[in-house]
């Protein structure tokens, strides 16, 4: 094992600061200013981000939008995207994407109402979008993998798309790696539980982020503690999503540079959210808790989900209950 003088790290830090100052080192901006503030004006490369939430809380919708709008928002990055989509068919995610650009519901796009089949004009609009978006370097893996297979696949991917510099050094592509649900990684024979697997997943991502310019975005579920009735009483601090609520937290959170939790209070019949008793109008109101951020801001922001068009937008902080 070799070591380095801390002088080398001073030089590396100054080089990074200079690159940020001059705009030669960029973060991966998201569609939402509050998330960019919670991170370092977007996701830094060489980092791990974990986003936790209950089923149907908008986690996948959030990541789909980050990827879908990422090439427009980050024109100078020349990035690639590798998505591990272990939950949905690729076809399903693309129809959801068509829903966003056409402003038609998933049901409409699939002509669920036989009396009102989707028009040729909408299909043509989706086709034109597919031709344009297909130019973006996004690759998808939709077959189950173990942690070792996950790590090996990413290593192969990074090596495949690297180039060689003038001095013979390898130049790796800035790469966004998304995982739609961490618990869908297959448990290997040497792993005694899913929690054990998640610990190995966090360790693998840490090894990879130090070796390659990767920004990991990992989706995960919440612990069942959040379902306790006292956590879902109106106006309680327990309404908030905490670091300890992230499933397999010891395995993932300790490796993460950024942790967020998504809550949909209305689905838990919460009308007044948290001690300040924010008024929740309906189940399109989402609360984003920025739980851990090594290089940004923690806090809480409100979002509005447009499930019919598969989009999420920021909204003003709701009013609080008058006492």
């Amino acid at each position: 094992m070799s070591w380095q003088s801390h002088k080398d790290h001073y030089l590396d830090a100054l080089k990074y600061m200079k690159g940020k100052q001059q705009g030669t080192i960029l973060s991966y901006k998201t569609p939402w200013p509050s998330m960019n503030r919670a991170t370092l004006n977007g996701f830094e490369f060489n980092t791990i981000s974990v986003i936790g939430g209950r089923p149907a809380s908008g986690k996948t919708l959030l990541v789909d939008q980050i990827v879908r709008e990422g090439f427009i928002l980050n024109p100078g990055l020349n990035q690639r995207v590798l998505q591990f989509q272990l939950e949905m068919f690729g076809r399903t995610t693309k129809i959801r994407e068509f829903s966003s650009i056409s402003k038609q519901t998933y049901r409409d796009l699939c002509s669920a109402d036989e009396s009102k089949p989707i028009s040729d004009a909408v299909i043509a609009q989706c086709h034109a979008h597919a031709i344009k978006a297909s130019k973006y370097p996004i690759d998808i893996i939709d077959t189950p993998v173990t942690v070792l297979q996950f790590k090996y696949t990413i290593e192969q991917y990074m090596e495949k798309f690297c180039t060689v510099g003038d001095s013979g050094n390898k130049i790796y592509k800035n790469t966004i790696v998304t995982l739609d649900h961490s618990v869908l990684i297959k448990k290997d024979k040497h792993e005694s539980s899913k929690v054990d697997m998640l610990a190995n997943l966090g360790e693998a991502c840490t090894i990879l982020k130090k070796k390659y310019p990767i920004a990991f975005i990992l989706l995960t579920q919440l612990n069942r503690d959040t379902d306790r009735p006292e956590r879902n009483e109106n106006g309680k601090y327990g309404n908030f999503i905490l670091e300890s609520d992230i499933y397999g937290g010891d395995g993932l959170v300790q490796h993460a540079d950024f942790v967020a939790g998504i809550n949909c209070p209305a689905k838990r019949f919460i009308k007044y959210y948290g001690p300040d008793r924010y008024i929740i109008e309906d189940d399109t109101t989402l609360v984003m808790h920025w739980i851990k951020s090594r290089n940004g801001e923690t806090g809480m922001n409100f979002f509005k989900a447009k499930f019919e068009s598969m989009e999420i937008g920021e909204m003003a902080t709701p009013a609080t209950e008058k006492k």
Side-chain angles (χ1 to χ4, degrees):
M1 182 178 294
S2 60
W3 54 82
Q4 289 178 296
S5 166
H6 70 157
K7 176 183 177 181
D8 296 326
H9 295 284
Y10 280 130
L11 295 174
D12 189 40
L14 290 166
K15 180 181 177 181
Y16 191 79
M17 290 164 57
K18 194 69 174 178
K20 282 288 188 181
Q21 177 200 47
Q22 297 178 341
T24 57
I25 297 176
L26 301 171
S27 298
Y28 183 86
K29 290 184 180 178
T30 77
W32 309 286
S34 63
M35 181 173 277
N36 293 333
R37 289 192 299 271
T39 54
L40 197 71
N41 197 26
F43 295 113
E44 287 181 276
F45 293 92
N46 307 107
T47 62
I48 302 168
S49 297
V50 174
I51 301 173
R54 297 183 179 94
S57 61
K59 300 187 300 296
T60 302
L61 196 58
L62 189 83
V63 170
D64 285 348
Q65 193 167 341
I66 289 171
V67 172
R68 182 172 68 243
E69 299 184 23
F71 288 92
I72 297 171
L73 295 172
N74 300 280
L77 267 178
N78 190 27
Q79 75 271 19
R80 297 193 70 89
V81 177
L82 178 62
Q83 294 189 279
F84 287 81
Q85 292 182 350
L86 308 183
E87 182 182 36
M88 296 182 186
F89 284 115
R91 175 186 66 210
T92 302
T93 62
K94 294 310 178 189
I95 294 175
R96 287 163 62 106
E97 185 174 329
F98 290 151
S99 180
S100 174
I101 62 100
S102 69
K103 308 307 177 186
Q104 303 287 320
T105 69
Y106 191 99
R107 284 178 54 82
D108 290 340
L109 291 175
C110 294
S111 300
D113 185 346
E114 293 181 356
S115 67
K116 297 178 181 179
I118 197 71
S119 69
D120 289 340
V122 172
I123 290 178
Q125 180 187 12
C126 295
H127 184 256
H129 172 78
I131 292 174
K132 180 180 179 181
S134 294
K135 298 176 183 178
Y136 296 139
I138 300 174
D139 296 292
I140 295 171
I141 293 171
D142 59 5
T143 53
V145 292
T146 64
V147 170
L148 289 177
Q149 290 168 333
F150 176 82
K151 181 174 180 290
Y152 175 77
T153 300
I154 293 171
E155 288 172 336
Q156 293 297 104
Y157 191 84
M158 298 302 295
E159 297 297 334
K160 176 178 175 60
F161 293 106
C162 77
T163 56
V164 179
D166 294 336
S167 60
N169 59 308
K170 289 183 178 180
I171 302 173
Y172 294 103
K173 283 271 191 181
N174 290 325
T175 302
I176 306 296
V177 175
T178 71
L179 172 60
D180 59 4
H181 280 288
S182 61
V183 293
L184 295 181
I185 293 284
K186 291 195 303 182
K187 186 167 66 71
D188 215 335
K189 58 185 179 182
H190 65 278
E191 294 166 335
S192 60
S193 67
K194 281 288 186 180
V195 173
D196 190 23
M197 177 276 292
L198 289 173
N200 290 334
L201 176 64
E203 185 175 341
C205 290
T206 295
I207 292 170
L208 290 166
K209 79 168 187 179
K210 289 188 173 183
K211 185 176 181 181
Y212 302 113
I214 295 174
F216 285 100
I217 306 176
L218 311 178
L219 300 186
T220 193
Q221 63 187 39
L222 301 181
N223 293 317
R224 291 186 178 181
D225 182 75
T226 56
D227 292 328
R228 289 190 294 115
E230 56 267 33
R231 293 289 303 271
N232 296 296
E233 293 177 6
N234 279 310
K236 301 295 185 180
Y237 177 73
N239 299 159
F240 294 171
I241 295 178
L242 310 173
E243 183 175 308
S244 58
D245 293 327
I246 303 298
Y247 182 75
D250 289 342
L252 280 181
V253 171
Q254 68 179 352
H255 289 278
D257 301 279
F258 174 74
V259 179
I262 304 178
N263 211 356
C264 185
K267 289 187 176 180
R268 317 307 293 182
F269 305 102
I270 298 172
K271 184 177 180 180
Y272 304 110
Y273 191 75
D276 290 324
R277 300 179 72 85
Y278 294 105
I279 300 172
I280 305 299
E281 292 185 352
D282 54 41
D283 64 4
T284 66
T285 298
L286 304 179
V287 189
M288 303 285 189
H289 292 273
W290 316 125
I291 298 170
K292 174 184 177 181
S293 183
R294 284 185 174 149
N295 302 315
E297 300 177 2
T298 57
M300 178 177 69
N301 289 92
F302 291 84
F303 286 68
K304 181 67 69 173
K306 301 175 182 178
F307 292 111
E308 69 282 358
S309 59
M310 300 296 170
E311 294 178 290
I312 293 176
E314 289 185 322
M315 62 176 280
T317 301
T320 56
E321 183 193 22
K322 294 182 180 179
K323 298 181 180 180

